[in-house]
């Protein structure tokens, strides 16, 4: 039943769009009811040839609010509406919720994003941090861990002042000396 309701809604929107872009012959009742019947079957109201400009403007506004899935490709071809984002480290479009590791806010500052994602390279020699407040992710390089270090730095980007470190069974992201995000694992949740 829901399938048919969605189909009816799509047909209604399609008929409104057709009417709003000057193709009134598809939806106007011009004495020969064939075009009008087509709109009635689609669930759209039959529009007479004396359509007022207010209803046409509303139809145009409704049609412009509809976003087509896949119509929002970025410069790399990633479709944001489908959840894809460009990973410079991997050189491909990825979904962070599939490939990334979610880190939660270490302290509960309401003004900051509550979570971010980290993606590791296949060889685990690099990590890419995706911040919600920035279009450009930061790439960190793996660091040599010294035996006996109780809080080793695993990945680091000195230019950005970012590092990922481990303390016992917890992982932290440190930015300019301050712990800001934490996670229980460095394995993506699948």
């Amino acid at each position: 039943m829901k399938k048919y309701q969605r189909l009816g809604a799509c047909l209604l929107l399609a008929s409104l769009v057709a009417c709003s872009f000057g193709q009134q012959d598809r939806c106007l009742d011009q004495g020969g009811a064939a075009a009008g019947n087509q709109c009635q079957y689609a669930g759209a109201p039959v529009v007479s040839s004396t359509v007022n400009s207010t209803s046409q403007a509303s139809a145009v506004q409704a049609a412009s609010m509809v976003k087509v899935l896949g119509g929002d490709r970025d410069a790399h071809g990633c479709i944001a509406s489908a959840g894809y984002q460009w990973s410079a480290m991997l050189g491909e479009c990825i979904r962070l919720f599939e490939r990334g590791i979610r880190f939660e806010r270490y302290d509960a500052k309401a003004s900051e994003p509550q979570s971010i994602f980290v993606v590791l390279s296949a060889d685990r020699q690099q990590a890419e941090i995706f911040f919600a407040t920035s279009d450009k992710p930061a790439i960190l390089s793996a660091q040599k861990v010294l035996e006996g270090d109780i809080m080793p730095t695993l990945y680091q980007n000195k230019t950005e002042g970012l590092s990922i470190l481990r303390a016992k069974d917890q992982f932290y992201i440190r930015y300019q000396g301050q712990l800001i995000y934490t996670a229980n694992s460095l394995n993506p949740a699948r």
Side-chain angles (χ1 to χ4, degrees):
M1 184 67 169
K2 287 184 180 181
K3 177 179 167 183
Y4 294 113
Q5 288 173 341
R6 277 186 269 153
L7 178 63
C10 290
L11 290 172
L12 171 64
L13 183 60
S15 65
L16 285 174
V17 170
C19 289
S20 67
F21 289 110
Q23 298 175 5
Q24 286 87 356
D25 58 314
R26 290 190 60 207
C27 297
L28 294 177
D29 184 10
Q30 299 173 344
N37 287 341
Q38 185 180 19
C39 286
Q40 283 178 334
Y41 294 137
V46 176
V47 182
S48 71
S49 57
T50 58
V51 176
N52 66 29
S53 62
T54 306
S55 64
Q56 274 190 328
S58 297
V60 169
Q61 185 179 12
S64 68
M65 292 172 62
V66 175
K67 286 191 174 181
V68 177
L69 186 63
D72 61 338
R73 291 184 186 271
D74 67 9
H76 300 285
C78 302
I79 303 170
S81 62
Y84 288 95
Q85 187 169 353
W86 179 253
S87 168
M89 179 185 72
L90 300 175
E92 63 181 294
C93 298
I94 62 169
R95 287 180 167 170
L96 292 176
F97 58 88
E98 291 177 348
R99 302 271 303 265
I101 303 154
R102 181 185 297 271
F103 275 69
E104 300 295 329
R105 188 82 189 151
Y106 180 66
D107 58 356
K109 286 187 180 179
S111 63
E112 298 287 333
Q114 295 303 306
S115 64
I116 62 171
F117 286 93
V118 173
V119 176
L120 300 176
S121 63
D123 62 1
R124 292 188 167 259
Q125 292 302 304
Q126 289 184 314
E128 189 171 22
I129 301 177
F130 292 84
F131 293 97
T133 57
S134 173
D135 293 359
K136 186 179 179 197
I139 298 178
L140 292 72
S141 299
Q143 302 296 301
K144 185 174 183 175
V145 176
L146 300 174
E147 191 173 322
D149 192 349
I150 59 171
M151 196 169 189
T153 299
L154 305 175
Y155 298 92
Q156 189 170 29
N157 180 326
K158 289 182 182 179
T159 307
E160 300 286 335
L162 278 166
S163 58
I164 298 175
L165 44 109
R166 183 184 73 225
K168 295 187 181 183
D169 294 333
Q170 201 69 18
F171 297 87
Y172 298 94
I173 293 177
R174 182 170 47 199
Y175 177 64
Q176 297 181 348
Q178 184 179 4
L179 299 177
I180 54 173
Y181 290 97
T182 184
N184 296 328
S185 169
L186 273 187
N187 294 316
R190 296 213 182 225

